Amino acid sequence: MTESVPGHDADKRLSLLSNWVEQHLPGKVERIEPASSDASFRRYFRVIHRRGSRIAMDSPPDREPLDRFITLAGKLRACGLRAPRVYASDAEHGFALLSDLGPQTYLDVLTQAPGRADALYGDAIHRLVTLQLRMQADDLPRYDEALLRRELDIFREWLIERHLDVRLEGSALTAWRDACDVLVASALAQPVVCVHRDFHSRNLMAGKAGDPGVLDFQDAVMGPMTYDLVSLLRDCYHELPAADLSRYRDWYVSLLSQTALAPLLPERAVFERWFDRMGAQRHLKAAGIFARLHHRDGKSGYLADIPRTLGYVLALDDPALTPLQNWLREHACAVL
């Protein structure tokens, strides 16, 4: 077996993972190569063996315990989503051997073949409705007020205070608090469904036509119905043309209206306001996380995604958010 990642002291876990994989695929492994990484402490490696490939996941147990991932992978598969199959796991060391959902994310395909967007988003919307309709997840945490506010605080702490070196005071602090109150109230007013929480182009795999693979679901909660939809359509990593976004949102509403969840849908204006405000909450949080990844974790590549992410917030036509938007335009020029 060969490893494409060089061995050094900082990567002892890769050596341990490689040895563990060999125990489960004895004599079959040809090489292990990086598959992907994400904004967490998890890493993924593609294991090439004689009969195909597997994904080896390195999930440090003190940072990212495996239990929720394994449990939710099974639940997602049971309700019809193409989540990874778990072939073997070691919770003590944080290792898992998974089915390989393919090398191409939605983001890869959208970048290389934008003409496939309708098909990809149509498939994703069908899978999202399946998740909301079938997932039995009453044991999941609630996306409650405390969690919503903790997430918004990430933006203030890491992007405003740490990255921009600004303290919110006076009218700026009032604008921030008022906006947070509006966004939290809007989220809590929505019907509660299962929320993947990172349903976007980097976590959807395009390997199987009509049935995207779904990754990074271990933080799922029960929460607002528009959360995953806005994650998909106002993606921090890929911006859709406004006309396409509107069409895809209509596809979701039309599809949901044909299911048992139809009574949850409000009138169009209310739904679109929920969608916009849910997006603002998510995008403020995400921009804060991108700043945190830079300052705390040394992952500076995500800084390039902040202008797009905050741009969604600034583009909203919502009088309740205008004071915050004006302050951001004036004081956040360095990241816009």
Side-chain angles (χ1 to χ4, degrees):
M1 179 189 71
T2 61
E3 296 175 5
S4 299
V5 180
H8 48 74
D9 289 343
D11 216 1
K12 291 179 180 177
R13 288 190 59 83
L14 177 56
S15 295
L16 293 173
L17 176 65
S18 299
N19 292 334
W20 181 81
V21 168
E22 284 276 17
Q23 295 172 20
H24 292 278
L25 294 170
K28 299 178 182 178
V29 177
E30 297 176 1
R31 66 183 185 276
I32 297 178
E33 58 192 27
S36 68
S37 61
D38 59 27
S40 73
F41 295 94
R42 289 180 299 273
R43 296 183 301 169
Y44 301 89
F45 299 90
R46 180 163 282 105
V47 179
I48 308 300
H49 61 91
R50 294 177 183 177
R51 295 184 181 179
S53 63
R54 295 280 187 267
I55 295 295
M57 180 169 70
D58 172 21
S59 187
D62 58 330
R63 300 279 193 170
E64 305 282 350
L66 278 177
D67 294 350
R68 277 177 57 79
F69 181 94
I70 293 172
T71 298
L72 285 168
K75 287 188 173 185
L76 290 173
R77 290 178 61 84
C79 74
L81 274 73
R82 193 163 64 95
R85 184 183 301 277
V86 181
Y87 293 108
S89 64
D90 181 337
E92 180 181 356
H93 292 95
F95 300 150
L97 193 61
L98 313 172
S99 57
D100 188 350
L101 302 186
Q104 283 195 309
T105 66
Y106 263 42
L107 183 59
D108 294 332
V109 179
L110 291 166
T111 301
Q112 298 163 12
R116 292 181 59 187
D118 278 7
L120 292 176
Y121 281 97
D123 294 342
I125 288 166
H126 273 82
R127 294 296 89 190
L128 175 56
V129 170
T130 297
L131 172 69
Q132 295 181 342
L133 185 65
R134 297 183 184 175
M135 184 69 160
Q136 301 299 314
D138 292 337
D139 57 335
L140 291 180
R142 286 282 177 147
Y143 219 147
D144 58 13
E145 179 173 356
L147 178 54
L148 289 161
R149 290 189 182 276
R150 283 200 304 272
E151 291 185 340
L152 287 164
D153 281 343
I154 295 171
F155 178 78
R156 183 174 71 168
E157 178 182 355
W158 286 96
L159 195 139
I160 295 179
E161 296 181 358
R162 179 68 180 274
H163 194 62
L164 299 179
D165 195 22
V166 174
R167 297 296 180 268
L168 291 177
E169 300 174 336
S171 61
L173 183 58
T174 299
W176 169 251
R177 287 174 173 170
D178 289 348
C180 289
D181 288 346
V182 167
L183 298 179
V184 170
S186 177
L188 295 177
Q190 297 183 38
V192 173
V193 295
C194 181
V195 177
H196 175 289
R197 215 165 156 204
D198 270 310
F199 197 80
H200 57 65
S201 62
R202 283 188 168 179
N203 291 330
L204 296 172
M205 307 303 293
K208 187 175 180 181
D211 192 12
V214 180
L215 302 177
D216 205 18
F217 42 75
Q218 62 283 331
D219 294 324
V221 294
M222 297 298 290
M225 72 182 305
T226 64
Y227 191 95
D228 282 341
L229 184 67
V230 80
S231 300
L232 177 69
L233 302 186
R234 287 200 178 124
D235 190 333
C236 296
Y237 309 106
H238 179 78
E239 187 170 358
L240 286 169
D244 288 347
L245 186 152
S246 182
R247 279 194 305 120
Y248 300 154
R249 186 171 57 193
D250 288 346
W251 289 0
Y252 168 85
V253 171
S254 176
L255 186 59
L256 201 70
S257 68
Q258 301 170 45
T259 73
L261 298 178
L264 301 182
L265 285 168
E267 61 183 41
R268 183 186 183 98
V270 172
F271 182 83
E272 292 183 1
R273 185 166 64 248
W274 283 351
F275 178 87
D276 286 345
R277 290 180 174 178
M278 192 74 260
Q281 188 274 346
R282 173 175 169 77
H283 295 129
L284 290 168
K285 174 194 72 170
I289 289 174
F290 294 155
R292 185 174 69 185
L293 286 165
H294 167 66
H295 290 285
R296 188 189 71 181
D297 303 331
K299 297 181 179 182
S300 299
Y302 290 94
L303 291 179
D305 298 307
I306 291 178
R308 180 189 307 109
T309 302
L310 279 187
Y312 290 134
V313 179
L314 296 179
L316 296 177
D317 182 10
D318 187 336
L321 302 180
T322 298
L324 177 62
Q325 291 170 317
N326 290 339
W327 186 91
L328 288 172
R329 290 189 183 98
E330 181 178 355
H331 293 89
C333 299
V335 294
L336 295 175

